[in-house]
C-alpha cells in the first residue's frame, strides 16, 4: 500500500507540474529584460509598464471587462426569469424540449456558434463591433445561467410559495422575497460562470468582432501570430492574478451554496 | 388567470433568445449551405464535401480528435482515480481546474515559447546531444497542446463518477478474490463508464472544431473541420461552403452525443465545449 501511494503521489505531482509549468513559465519570463522567452537576462518590470502605458491595450482590457460584466448581468437576468418560467411549466414535454433547446449552445462547437451568429448579424443588419460581441456573449451565457439556477429552483419546496401567497404576499413579493433569496447562490454561481465564459471566449468573438472592436483574447491571438512579445507575458501575469481572485471568489460562493466546485469547468 | 400571464411574461426574453439565437442560427447555417459564392441556389457544396479534399480533411480531423481524446483519457483516468484517494480531494480538484480558467490563448502562447527553437525543451534535448529540432509546427506539438488544454475537462466527469462509486463494492470484489485488474475492468470501469463517456463527449467534439491551436501551434499543417470553417468564413468568404462543413460538424456532433449518451440523468457534464 505504501509503495503504491508513493508512485501515486509521483504521478499526481507530475500531472500538476505539467498543468502549471506553461502558466508559470509565461509569468517568469514576463520579468525578463531580454526580449524573448528563452534567455533570462535580468529582472525588470518594464513589460508591466508597457502594458499600462499602452492606451490601446488598456482600452481593449476595458472593453473586455465591460463586455463581460454587461453580458453576465443581462444573461443572468434573462436566465433567472427563464428558469423560473421553466420550473413552473406544467406541460412536461414542452419543458423537456425547452431544456434541450437550452443546451444546444452549450454543446455546440464555438466555431459553429461563431459562424452562425456572423450570418445572423449580417442577415438582420447588426453592425459588427461592440454590439454584436455583447449580444453574442449574452446569447451563449444564458443557457449556463439557466443550468446553474434551475437545480436550486427545483430544490425549492412549492409550499413556500403557497404559504407566502396565503399570508397575503403579492406576486412581486413572492418573487423578490421568497424565490430570489432562495436561489441566490445559484444566481451568483451563474453570474460568475457567465463572467468567466465571456472573459475567456475567443472563437465566437473572433467571428463577430469586425474591424474596429477587439477583446483581449482576439488581441492576444493577433499578437501571438506575429511572434513572441513579452507584453503578452506581463498581461498573462496580471490575468493570472485576476483569474485566481475570481476562482477563489467563486469557490467561496459555491461553498456557501454547497454547489460542487466542479459544476462548471471551462476551456 | 393572472398568475398564468405573469408566468408567460417571465419567459418572453428567454423565448426570444431561443428563437433568435438557438433556432435561427441553425436554420441560417442550413439555409446558407445551399448557396454558392454568387448567391445561386445549388447543391454543389454538398457534392464538394464528398470530394477527396474534404473527405481527407474530415478523416484527418477525426484521426486527430481520436488521438487527442485517447491520450487525454489515458492520462486523466488515473489522475482522477488518484485524486479521489487524496485527503482534501475537493481542494486538489480545484487546483486541477484552475489552469482551465486561465485564458486559452495564453496557455497556447506559452507553448510557442516552450517548444520554440531556443525554448527549454530544445535546451533539454541539447543536453542529451540531440540537436535543436523543430518541435513547433508539428503534429506532435499540436496533439500535445490540445491534450494539455483538454485534460481538466476529462478529469472532472471521471472524478465525479469515481467519487460516487461505493468503495465497499471494490472491497467486496477484492474479498471475493478478484485481482486488481479484474476489479478494475469488471467493477470500477463499468460503474464509472458514464463519466468516461461524458469526458469523451467534452473532448472529442471540441477537438474536431479546434482552429486557434492549429494556427498558432501547428502552423496550418493540421487542418481540422473547425479550421476549414474559419477559413471559408473569414478568409475565402465562401459562406456557403463554410455552412456546409458546419452542417456536417453538427451532424457528427449529434451522432457522437447519441453514441456517448447516457440513460441516467444528472451524470452528464455541463462543461462548456470550446
Amino acid at each position: 500500500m505504501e509503495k503504491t501511494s508513493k508512485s501515486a503521489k509521483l504521478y499526481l505531482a507530475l500531472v500538476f507540474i505539467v498543468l502549471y509549468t506553461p502558466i508559470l513559465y509565461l509569468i517568469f519570463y514576463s520579468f525578463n529584460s531580454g526580449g524573448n522567452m528563452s534567455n533570462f537576462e535580468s529582472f525588470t518590470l518594464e513589460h508591466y509598464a508597457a502594458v499600462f502605458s499602452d492606451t490601446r491595450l488598456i482600452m481593449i482590457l476595458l472593453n473586455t471587462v465591460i463586455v463581460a460584466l454587461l453580458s453576465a448581468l443581462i444573461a443572468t437576468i434573462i436566465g433567472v426569469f427563464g428558469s423560473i418560467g421553466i420550473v413552473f411549466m406544467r406541460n412536461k414535454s414542452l419543458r423537456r424540449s425547452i431544456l434541450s433547446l437550452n443546451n444546444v449552445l452549450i454543446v455546440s462547437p464555438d466555431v459553429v456558434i461563431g459562424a452562425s451568429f456572423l450570418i445572423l448579424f449580417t442577415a438582420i443588419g447588426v453592425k459588427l463591433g461592440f454590439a454584436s460581441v455583447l449580444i453574442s456573449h449574452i446569447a451563449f451565457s444564458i443557457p449556463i445561467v439557466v443550468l446553474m439556477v434551475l437545480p436550486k429552483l427545483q430544490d425549492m419546496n412549492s409550499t413556500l410559495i403557497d404559504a407566502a401567497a396565503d399570508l397575503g404576499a403579492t406576486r412581486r413579493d413572492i418573487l423578490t422575497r421568497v424565490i430570489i433569496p432562495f436561489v441566490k447562490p445559484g444566481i451568483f454561481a451563474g453570474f460568475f460562470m457567465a463572467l468567466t465564459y465571456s472573459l475567456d471566449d475567443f472563437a465566437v468573438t473572433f467571428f463577430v468582432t469586425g474591424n474596429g472592436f477587439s477583446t483581449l483574447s482576439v488581441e492576444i491571438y493577433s499578437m501571438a501570430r506575429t511572434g513572441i512579445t513579452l507584453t503578452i507575458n506581463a498581461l498573462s501575469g496580471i490575468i493570472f492574478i485576476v483569474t485566481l481572485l475570481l476562482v477563489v471568489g467563486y469557490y467561496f460562493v459555491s461553498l456557501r451554496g454547497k454547489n460542487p466546485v466542479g459544476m462548471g469547468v471551462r476551456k | 388567470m393572472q398568475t398564468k400571464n405573469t408566468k408567460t411574461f417571465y419567459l418572453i426574453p428567454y423565448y426570444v433568445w431561443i428563437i433568435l439565437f438557438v433556432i435561427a442560427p441553425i436554420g441560417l447555417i442550413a439555409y446558407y449551405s445551399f448557396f454558392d459564392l454568387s448567391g445561386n441556389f445549388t447543391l454543389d457544396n454538398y457534392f464538394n464535401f464528398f470530394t477527396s479534399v474534404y473527405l481527407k480533411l474530415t478523416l484527418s480531423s477525426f484521426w486527430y480528435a481520436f488521438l487527442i481524446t485517447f491520450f487525454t483519457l489515458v492520462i486523466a483516468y488515473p489522475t482522477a482515480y488518484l485524486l479521489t484517494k487524496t485527503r482534501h480531494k475537493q481542494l486538489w480538484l480545484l487546483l486541477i481546474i484552475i489552469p482551465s480558467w486561465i485564458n486559452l490563448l495564453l496557455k497556447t502562447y506559452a507553448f510557442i515559447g516552450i517548444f520554440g527553437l531556443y525554448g527549454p525543451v530544445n535546451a533539454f534535448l541539447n543536453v542529451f546531444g540531440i540537436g535543436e529540432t523543430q518541435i513547433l509546427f508539428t503534429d506532435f506539438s499540436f496533439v500535445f497542446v490540445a491534450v494539455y488544454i483538454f485534460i481538466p475537462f476529462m478529469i472532472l466527469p471521471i472524478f465525479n463518477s469515481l467519487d460516487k462509486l461505493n468503495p465497499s463494492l471494490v472491497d467486496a470484489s477484492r474479498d471475493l478474490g478478484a485481482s486488481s485488474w479484474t476489479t478494475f475492468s469488471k467493477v470500477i470501469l463499468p460503474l464509472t463508464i458514464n463519466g468516461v463517456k461524458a469526458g469523451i463527449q467534452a473532448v472529442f467534439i471540441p477537438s474536431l472544431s479546434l482552429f486557434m491551436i492549429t494556427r498558432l501551434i501547428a502552423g496550418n499543417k493540421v487542418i481540422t473541420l473547425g479550421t476549414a470553417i474559419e477559413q471559408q468564413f473569414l478568409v475565402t468568404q465562401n459562406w456557403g461552403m463554410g455552412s456546409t462543413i458546419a452542417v456536417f460538424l453538427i451532424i457528427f456532433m449529434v451522432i457522437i452525443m447519441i453514441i456517448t449518451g447516457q440513460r441516467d440523468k444528472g451524470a452528464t457534464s455541463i462543461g462548456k465545449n470550446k
Side-chain angles (χ1 to χ4, degrees), chain A residues 111-121, chain B residues 21 25-26 28-29 233:
Chain A
V111 184
V112 175
I113 298 177
S116 61
F117 282 8
L118 175 63
I119 297 181
L120 179 78
F121 289 134
Chain B
F21 294 100
I26 297 174
L28 281 170
I29 284 267
F233 267 93

Side-chain angles (χ1 to χ4, degrees), chain A residues 11 18-20 38 89 102 109-111 119 135 139 143 197 200 206 217 229 233 240 262-263 265-267, chain B residues 14-15 17 21 32 75 95 100-103 109 118 148 150 153 156 202 206 209 230 239 270 272-274:
Chain A
Y11 184 81
V18 171
L19 278 179
Y20 279 91
S38 46
M89 230 173 241
N102 183 67
D110 298 23
V111 184
I119 297 181
I135 295 170
Y197 268 59
D200 201 46
F206 189 65
S217 299
T229 332
N233 294 52
F240 183 70
M263 275 294 273
V265 100
R266 303 159 331 104
K267 229 163 275 181
Chain B
Y14 185 70
Y15 277 147
W17 167 76
F21 294 100
Y32 267 76
I75 297 167
L95 285 175
S100 78
W101 294 62
I102 306 292
N103 195 303
Y109 168 76
Y118 306 102
Y148 170 81
F150 287 131
F153 304 93
L156 197 71
S209 51
E230 189 252 354
W239 288 15
I270 54 163
K272 161 119 174 169
N273 303 322
K274 266 195 187 167

Side-chain angles (χ1 to χ4, degrees), chain B residues 187-252:
Chain B
V187 180
I188 301 177
L189 189 60
L191 285 173
T192 54
I193 197 74
N194 277 339
V196 174
K197 280 179 177 172
I200 290 177
Q201 201 176 309
V203 173
F204 197 87
I205 299 169
S207 303
L208 281 180
S209 51
L210 283 174
F211 76 92
M212 181 270 302
I213 300 178
T214 56
R215 292 253 191 267
L216 290 181
I217 297 291
N220 293 342
K221 276 192 186 145
V222 177
I223 294 181
T224 61
L225 289 170
T227 322
I229 294 174
E230 189 252 354
Q231 196 153 341
Q232 295 292 351
F233 267 93
L234 300 177
V235 183
T236 39
Q237 302 278 334
N238 186 351
W239 288 15
M241 195 59 221
S243 299
T244 309
I245 306 170
V247 167
F248 279 99
L249 188 54
I250 294 171
I251 293 171
F252 295 141

